[in-house]
Every structure is written in structure tokens, then in C-alpha cells.
Amino acid sequence: MIPADLRIIESKDLYVGQSSLTGESDAVRKNINSEISMEELDNISDLDTICFMGTNVISGSAKGVVIKTADNTYFGKVAHTITTGKPKSSFQLGIENISRLLIKFMVILTPIVFILNAWKHSPVTAFTFAVAIAICITPLLLPVITSSTLSKGAMKMSKKKTIVKKLDSIQNFGAMNILCTDKTGTLTEDKIVLEKYLDINGNEDLRILKHAFLNSYFQTGLKGNIDEAVIARALNNNMTEYVDKYKLVDEIPFDFTRRRLSVVVNDGNKTQLITKGAVEEILSICTMVDYKGEVSPITKDIKENIKRISKELNKDGLRVIAICQKNDIQNIDSFGVEHEKNMVLLGFIGFLDPPKESAKSAIEKLNNSGIRVVVLTGDNAEVTKCICKKVGINSKKVIEGSQIEKLTDVAIIRLLKNTNIFVKLSPIQKARIVRLLKESGNVVGYMGDGINDSPSLINSDVGISVDTAVDIAKESADIILLEKDLHVLLDGVTEGRKTFGNLMKYIKMATSFNFGEVMSVIIASVALPFLPETPIQLLVEGLLYDFGQLTLPFDNVDKEYLQKPRKFNIESLKKFMLFMGPLSSIFDLIIFASLWFVFKLRDPATFQTIWFTYSIVSNLLGMHIIRTSKVPFIQSNASKMVYFSSILLSIIGIIVPFTWLGNIIGLVPIPLPYMSIIIGIPILYCFVALFAKKIYIKKYGEWI
């Protein structure tokens, strides 16, 4: 493990693994003098004369001068983005804004209500009434409903292989409109597969697969994923007979300088030296080519054609390895690197980390759900572009990390509007893109599982990882998927939207109904010679109504609501409260006027009892109007639990005045003629509220 940022001053075949910084598993060669031109340098991690803290030596040796230590290193800069902590989400800020809004109402209303009633009633009565009004305007069960709704949502999500670490993140999960993700393992299988075995003219040829199989099978070193892919493909093509037919004579192991591996095998008739390796390295040791069994000298045109085919395969997202052999081997006891010359080029094998079968349909469903997928990867442009094209992500425009480094934030924000693929990115560049997407007004999710993903997981609105991720990624994430599949993520998003929908139902109906009731009670307290309700009656009424809303976490959510992301918007809440609150207040005042002028009711206890029962029935019935943008009971049905609680608590509200509990809080039995008001006016309110709902939706384009 490299303990600091170092400048290499001596080096011998030094190869370093930088996956902790870049996420890419291939080892990188480090030299005394750079082999990379300034034009080829994409980002700081590409510097081949610098070793970075947190990376590890794969092979070779070197000496270096320490240039940065601890927090000043490149790794330290990455770590700093994690320790800064996650900024508050729109949901958290929204809840804080509601709290501040309600506190302002309480601070203003309490003295006003006290002053308005102090001249008619005793100071104690006026004060307790003012305090009760302040309490009534507050959604008392907001913490309980919020916690229970989020907890219920987390339980449902866990059944769909989505584990919620931080409850607040559920809202962001549902509100997410951009998903940033890496390529490897999310869009691809994260498993190398041998896709092609081609001769020198690009035609499929089983001879190439046979020679690659002999090389991979008989080499005695640690078999990498490439060797395993070759063996698996050969066995699928019934090449097991070669295992017994051929015997290993010798081998020349792989090293990072030659970038090739050779085996010597014998089938009883002849001895062959078979070599596989990087195209450039194999071309450098070949003097002949074999095409359909005919051997001819390699020419400049043939070399150019081979390089062209190799480049085209790269564009298709394939990693290309060349295969060559030599047959004229006689009287050699020990084979070495010096024998890897004057060889015959046979062809190529092409490997691919194939896209997941589910990726394309998942991307399509995410797009249909209003979620745009942006790929942020440390991999190269050609491979990433090929994979993205196959899974349905717009790949016309690809931006590299080196370009990002030179641009201002404003320029990057402009790019982000129509660019979905960013390649050769460092961890800090990924985190920067996530931050700028958030600053553009998006709710951004980031899916990653490596150390290099941690800054982006912290920077995002909702960090998503998988249970097989490294510890720091899981620690930084808000959501853990038990399966690295975008379909699992989509199921979680749907549950997140349901949870947010049920939470917003409570917040909007509680604030609007409470606001309306407080307005009407204040007006009535001024107009009437007695209080429309005593403080204790106000509190008990609010408690019963709140119990009815405790079932909202279990409510159904309309399918139309789940089709696009939803953000917490305090302005939308204010508009809803100021629109629906006065409407319910108007019906309250109709009740007051009817009792006073039509029924000539002057008895305070009876007046208060009718108002108490009406408020409970009206609010519980009105809850069904608020919970959906459709026509309730016909186009949209609540859950059985919501129906049950509404009916039960409405009955309790009607029965309480006839019980000893009602007597304790000053209620009296309701005369039968007044029951028509208690049942009839709420039904009338429902019809008017439906009409008002249509006006509101037409004006503001939303409901919940």
C-alpha cells in the first residue's frame, strides 16, 4: 500500500492498482519519465510518474520522493468530501419551513385571540382558549405520521430488496428525477465474456478459439477472468478433447513488460509455442500470418488492416487480445522470452463485459417514470458509449474528465442539460457533476459501490449502494439494494413515491383543515356571546380527528401520482392551505349562522356540542376529498383501514355527547333535528370541495 503521494525516481516494472481512486481494476504502469503526452492526459490519476496514497503495488519495485502527505494528498482531498457530511434534503428543509410557518401563526394568533376575547370572558378563559387555538392550528401528529409513514414505506421497500438506512431519504428516493450511475455492474454483468474469435481478416474461426483455449488452460499461473472466459467459451464449443490430447511442455509466464503469456504444448506429433497478449506486443514478435491454413509474410498493409480491425472491435466495446503460434520447435530443453520471435499471427479474441439483459427495459421504465439516467464512469469513451447504446442511453455526446477539468461550473451546467455520458472521471469530478446537477434544481440519486464513489454518494440527495459494496460506500449510502439491478431500484422508487404521497396527504389536509377551523372559531368567538367551543372540547375534537389520520400510512395511492417524481414544495403547501382552508371555514360559518339565525339556538352547551360533532364528521369526510385528485369512492378508493377509521371515529364523534365522557368535557345529548345539519352540511361540503378541486388543479396543475 502506497502511504503518500510520491514522485517516482527509480522504477523497475512497477504496476499499481488504482481502483480505490478510479474504480477501474486494470493495473497502471508507473515510470520515471512520462510516456503520456499532455493531450492524452485525461485527469490527475492518469499521471504515470506519480504514485498516489491509498493505491497498491501489483508488481515490480520503485523508489519515490514524497510530495504530499495525509490530508494534502489526492486521496485526502477525496476523503475530505466525505467528512463534510450530507447537506439537508428538500424534505428536511420543507418540514423545517412548515414548523417555522406554524410557529409564526401561533406567535401572532395567541395574543390576538386573547385580546379579542378578554373583554367578554375572564382572563383565564380567554388565555386558555387562545392557547387551545394555537395548539389546534398545529398538526399535532406530524412527527408520528411522518415517522410511521416512512417506517411503513421502509418495511414495504425491504420486501422488494431495498433496505432504507435513513428514513428521510425515502422522500428523496421518490422525488429523484436524475439517477447517476457507474457502468460496471449496474449496466453490465461485471463479468468478462469471450464474444469473438476472429482470423486476421475479421472472420469467425474456431482455430483461434482452440489456440486461445490451449494457452489459457495449460498456463499454470493464477487464471484471471480473461482465462476463465476463454475456457468457458471453449468448453461450450465441445473442446474438452484437447485437454487429454495435448500435454504441457513448458511455459513463459506473463509479465507487465512483455504483456503476453506463452505456453509450449505437444499433441504427440508436434510441439507448438502458443502466445496471447496485447495486439501491439504480438505484432512486434510476428513475421508471418496464417489465413485459413496458408502462411504468408506479414506486410505493412496487413499490419494496418489488423490495427483497423482491432480499433473497430474496441469501438464495439470489446477488449482485444491477439493470438500467435510457432511450430518449428526442435531440440529446445528450456524455453524463454528469446524464443518469442518469428511467430505466425493467427487472429484475435474479443472480450466484453456484456450489458445486463434487464438493463435496457429498466432504463426505459426509469425514463417513463420521469427519471433520467446519467452515466459517470472512470472507463474509456469507446467501451462506455457502446454499452450505453445497447441499453438505450443517448450516446451521441460523450464528455471526458479532462474536458470537465477545464470548464467553469456554469459551462458544465449547460453541458448537463443534454449530455448523459461522462467518462474518464476522477472521484472529485464525479462529485462535482452530482453537486452541479443538484444546484440546477434536480433531485439527484447516485448509485455506486466503490471507495471512489463515496464523495458522490455523500454529495447526492440520495446515495444508493448494494450489499456487496465496500464498507465506506455502504456507510455513505442512504439506501442499500440487495441486488445490483435497476429493476430493484425502480421498485424502491415506486414505494418511495407512495410513501411521500401519503405523507403529503396528511400535511396538506391537516394544515388546510386546521387553518380553516381556527379562522372560523376565531370569527365565531368574536361574534357570539359565548365561546363556540371550550378549550378542552377543541383539544378532544382535534385528538379524535388526528386518530382518524393515523391510518394514512396504509392508504392507497393513485397510479397517476406515481408516474413522475414529486418534490416537497412549501409554496405549493401555502397555496393549498390558503385555498382549501377558507373553503372549509365558509361551511363552518354556515353552521354558525344556521344555528344562530335559523334554529335560534342560544344554549351554549348544545351549540358547542353540535359544532364539536360536526367538525369531526366534516373533517373525516373531507379527508377522502383531499386524499385524491380524482372523485373519491368512485374513481379512487382509500384502503380498508382508512375507510374503517373514518367510519368508526365519525360514529364515536356522534356518540360521545351521549356518554359520561361527553358530560365531563361539557357536551350534552344532541336533539334529533340537529342531526340533519351534522350529516347534511358535510355532504354538501364534499360536492362543493369537488368543484373547488377541479378549479385548483386547472389553475396550479397539481393537487397532492
Side-chain angles (χ1 to χ4, degrees), residues 585-596:
S585 184
I586 288 169
F587 276 84
D588 294 343
L589 295 175
I590 290 172
I591 288 284
F592 291 142
S594 300
L595 293 175
W596 187 262

Side-chain angles (χ1 to χ4, degrees), residues 18-25 43 45 377-379 425 427 430 452:
Q18 298 190 151
S19 60
S20 59
L21 293 179
T22 64
E24 300 304 313
S25 57
N43 58 58
S45 61
T377 180
D379 208 343
L425 295 175
K430 286 183 182 180
N452 60 307

Side-chain angles (χ1 to χ4, degrees), residues 208-324:
I208 311 303
L209 179 59
K210 171 194 169 184
H211 285 81
F213 171 64
L214 292 173
N215 180 285
S216 294
Y217 184 84
F218 285 105
Q219 68 105 351
T220 59
L222 181 67
K223 286 181 170 56
N225 50 14
I226 285 177
D227 292 310
E228 290 174 356
V230 170
I231 293 168
R233 187 61 184 267
L235 294 178
N236 285 339
N237 281 272
N238 301 315
M239 292 188 176
T240 50
E241 60 180 287
Y242 299 126
V243 174
D244 298 322
K245 185 177 180 181
Y246 284 85
K247 303 295 180 187
L248 177 66
V249 176
D250 203 351
E251 73 176 303
I252 308 166
F254 178 85
D255 66 59
F256 285 107
T257 304
R258 291 163 42 248
R259 294 203 297 167
R260 57 182 183 260
L261 181 149
S262 299
V263 298
V264 183
V265 293
N266 184 282
D267 64 354
N269 297 318
K270 63 179 179 180
T271 302
Q272 291 175 271
L273 174 66
I274 303 172
T275 304
K276 74 171 186 289
V279 175
E280 299 83 358
E281 302 297 331
I282 295 298
L283 279 175
S284 69
I285 60 172
C286 290
T287 56
M288 309 289 282
V289 291
D290 184 327
Y291 180 62
K292 293 185 177 180
E294 294 183 9
V295 178
S296 59
I298 194 166
T299 64
K300 184 179 179 182
D301 289 341
I302 291 174
K303 278 191 176 182
E304 290 300 320
N305 187 53
I306 289 165
K307 289 178 180 177
R308 181 186 61 78
I309 293 171
S310 175
K311 192 171 182 180
E312 285 177 0
L313 291 171
N314 285 147
K315 284 183 179 179
D316 288 337
L318 275 74
R319 181 177 176 183
V320 181
I321 288 177
I323 306 290
C324 64

Side-chain angles (χ1 to χ4, degrees), residues 52-342:
F52 298 98
M53 175 185 172
T55 60
N56 59 293
V57 175
I58 302 295
S59 66
S61 60
K63 284 184 182 178
V65 177
V66 173
I67 53 175
K68 295 284 184 180
T69 60
D71 290 346
N72 294 319
T73 61
Y74 183 62
F75 197 84
K77 300 296 181 189
V78 174
H80 177 70
T81 62
I82 299 172
T83 57
T84 52
K86 205 175 187 75
K88 288 182 179 179
S89 67
S90 60
F91 177 68
Q92 291 169 319
L93 293 172
I95 294 295
E96 288 179 6
N97 285 334
I98 290 174
S99 302
R100 279 196 289 268
L101 182 66
L102 295 173
I103 288 168
K104 286 177 185 175
F105 271 120
M106 285 191 286
V107 169
I108 295 168
L109 279 178
T110 304
I112 291 174
V113 173
F114 176 74
I115 292 167
L116 289 173
N117 287 278
W119 63 278
K120 288 197 297 184
H121 310 287
S122 69
V124 174
T125 302
F127 179 73
T128 53
F129 181 72
V131 171
I133 289 291
I135 294 171
C136 281
I137 202 170
T138 309
L140 295 177
L141 292 184
L142 181 59
V144 177
I145 295 283
T146 301
S147 298
S148 59
T149 305
L150 295 176
S151 299
K152 180 65 179 174
M155 287 177 65
K156 283 186 176 179
M157 289 166 74
S158 68
K159 293 175 183 176
K160 296 190 175 182
K161 300 182 181 180
T162 305
I163 305 301
V164 179
K165 279 182 61 190
K166 299 170 185 173
L167 285 179
D168 284 351
S169 65
I170 292 178
Q171 186 273 329
N172 280 337
F173 205 34
M176 178 174 68
N177 68 313
I178 290 183
L179 172 66
C180 297
T181 179
D182 196 0
K183 171 183 67 66
T184 307
T186 307
L187 304 180
T188 67
E189 295 285 358
D190 198 13
K191 183 176 70 175
I192 296 293
V193 174
L194 176 57
E195 283 282 307
K196 295 184 182 295
Y197 35 90
L198 309 173
D199 62 26
I200 60 166
N201 286 325
N203 304 310
E204 193 169 284
D205 189 345
L206 277 172
R207 287 177 66 234
I208 311 303
L209 179 59
K210 171 194 169 184
H211 285 81
F213 171 64
L214 292 173
N215 180 285
S216 294
Y217 184 84
F218 285 105
Q219 68 105 351
T220 59
L222 181 67
K223 286 181 170 56
N225 50 14
I226 285 177
D227 292 310
E228 290 174 356
V230 170
I231 293 168
R233 187 61 184 267
L235 294 178
N236 285 339
N237 281 272
N238 301 315
M239 292 188 176
T240 50
E241 60 180 287
Y242 299 126
V243 174
D244 298 322
K245 185 177 180 181
Y246 284 85
K247 303 295 180 187
L248 177 66
V249 176
D250 203 351
E251 73 176 303
I252 308 166
F254 178 85
D255 66 59
F256 285 107
T257 304
R258 291 163 42 248
R259 294 203 297 167
R260 57 182 183 260
L261 181 149
S262 299
V263 298
V264 183
V265 293
N266 184 282
D267 64 354
N269 297 318
K270 63 179 179 180
T271 302
Q272 291 175 271
L273 174 66
I274 303 172
T275 304
K276 74 171 186 289
V279 175
E280 299 83 358
E281 302 297 331
I282 295 298
L283 279 175
S284 69
I285 60 172
C286 290
T287 56
M288 309 289 282
V289 291
D290 184 327
Y291 180 62
K292 293 185 177 180
E294 294 183 9
V295 178
S296 59
I298 194 166
T299 64
K300 184 179 179 182
D301 289 341
I302 291 174
K303 278 191 176 182
E304 290 300 320
N305 187 53
I306 289 165
K307 289 178 180 177
R308 181 186 61 78
I309 293 171
S310 175
K311 192 171 182 180
E312 285 177 0
L313 291 171
N314 285 147
K315 284 183 179 179
D316 288 337
L318 275 74
R319 181 177 176 183
V320 181
I321 288 177
I323 306 290
C324 64
Q325 70 158 348
K326 185 158 64 172
N327 289 326
D328 54 338
I329 301 173
Q330 297 176 354
N331 305 321
I332 300 174
D333 296 325
S334 179
F335 289 85
V337 176
E338 66 274 9
H339 296 108
E340 294 177 331
K341 62 182 180 181
N342 301 323

Side-chain angles (χ1 to χ4, degrees), residues 291-586:
Y291 180 62
K292 293 185 177 180
E294 294 183 9
V295 178
S296 59
I298 194 166
T299 64
K300 184 179 179 182
D301 289 341
I302 291 174
K303 278 191 176 182
E304 290 300 320
N305 187 53
I306 289 165
K307 289 178 180 177
R308 181 186 61 78
I309 293 171
S310 175
K311 192 171 182 180
E312 285 177 0
L313 291 171
N314 285 147
K315 284 183 179 179
D316 288 337
L318 275 74
R319 181 177 176 183
V320 181
I321 288 177
I323 306 290
C324 64
Q325 70 158 348
K326 185 158 64 172
N327 289 326
D328 54 338
I329 301 173
Q330 297 176 354
N331 305 321
I332 300 174
D333 296 325
S334 179
F335 289 85
V337 176
E338 66 274 9
H339 296 108
E340 294 177 331
K341 62 182 180 181
N342 301 323
M343 300 190 73
V344 180
L345 179 66
L346 298 174
F348 319 92
I349 49 176
F351 300 88
L352 184 69
D353 183 3
K356 288 185 175 179
E357 290 183 10
S358 62
K360 187 170 185 178
S361 62
I363 296 290
E364 187 178 344
K365 287 178 181 177
L366 285 168
N367 290 335
N368 291 338
S369 298
I371 300 174
R372 172 185 161 205
V373 179
V374 177
V375 177
L376 307 179
T377 180
D379 208 343
N380 68 63
E382 297 297 343
V383 173
T384 305
K385 190 173 181 179
C386 174
I387 294 296
C388 290
K389 189 175 181 181
K390 288 181 179 180
V391 299
I393 297 174
N394 186 346
S395 56
K396 288 182 180 178
K397 199 170 185 179
V398 179
I399 302 296
E400 296 195 353
S402 55
Q403 296 169 265
I404 292 290
E405 201 65 39
K406 299 169 186 174
L407 297 174
T408 62
D409 285 357
V410 175
I412 295 173
I413 289 171
R414 201 177 299 121
L415 269 178
L416 287 168
K417 291 178 180 177
N418 55 11
T419 307
N420 293 324
I421 305 174
F422 295 83
V423 299
K424 300 292 287 181
L425 295 175
S426 69
I428 292 175
Q429 287 168 343
K430 286 183 182 180
R432 184 186 180 196
I433 289 172
V434 170
R435 174 179 61 81
L436 292 174
L437 282 168
K438 280 177 60 180
E439 290 177 2
S440 303
N442 301 292
V443 178
V444 183
Y446 183 87
M447 188 171 178
D449 59 1
I451 297 172
N452 60 307
D453 293 313
S454 298
S456 299
L457 289 168
I458 292 289
N459 256 20
S460 62
D461 288 296
V462 54
I464 307 157
S465 194
V466 289
D467 63 336
T468 54
V470 298
D471 288 346
I472 188 64
K474 288 191 282 188
E475 186 65 30
S476 304
D478 305 303
I479 305 280
I480 305 290
L481 304 182
L482 298 183
E483 194 176 307
K484 200 169 185 180
D485 190 327
L486 291 177
H487 280 290
V488 174
L489 183 140
L490 189 59
D491 287 339
V493 167
T494 303
E495 286 301 330
R497 290 180 183 175
K498 286 181 182 177
T499 302
F500 178 62
N502 284 333
L503 187 57
M504 286 310 297
K505 288 175 191 176
Y506 171 74
I507 292 174
K508 284 196 170 182
M509 66 178 64
T511 51
S512 59
F513 283 160
N514 290 2
F515 177 68
E517 183 173 359
V518 165
M519 281 177 61
S520 51
V521 168
I522 291 172
I523 293 169
S525 69
V526 174
L528 297 172
F530 50 82
L531 292 176
E533 274 190 278
T534 64
I536 187 66
Q537 289 168 354
L538 279 170
L539 296 176
V540 172
E541 172 205 313
L543 186 64
L544 285 173
Y545 172 53
D546 283 340
F547 275 135
Q549 294 172 327
L550 276 174
T551 55
L552 282 175
F554 303 90
D555 194 18
N556 302 324
V557 180
D558 297 336
K559 286 183 180 179
E560 292 79 3
Y561 185 85
L562 304 176
Q563 288 176 353
K564 65 179 183 178
R566 308 282 176 172
K567 286 179 71 174
F568 193 100
N569 189 335
I570 190 67
E571 291 303 317
S572 171
L573 180 61
K574 287 178 182 176
K575 286 186 289 190
F576 190 91
M577 185 173 72
L578 294 174
F579 187 89
M580 294 302 293
L583 179 66
S584 65
S585 184
I586 288 169

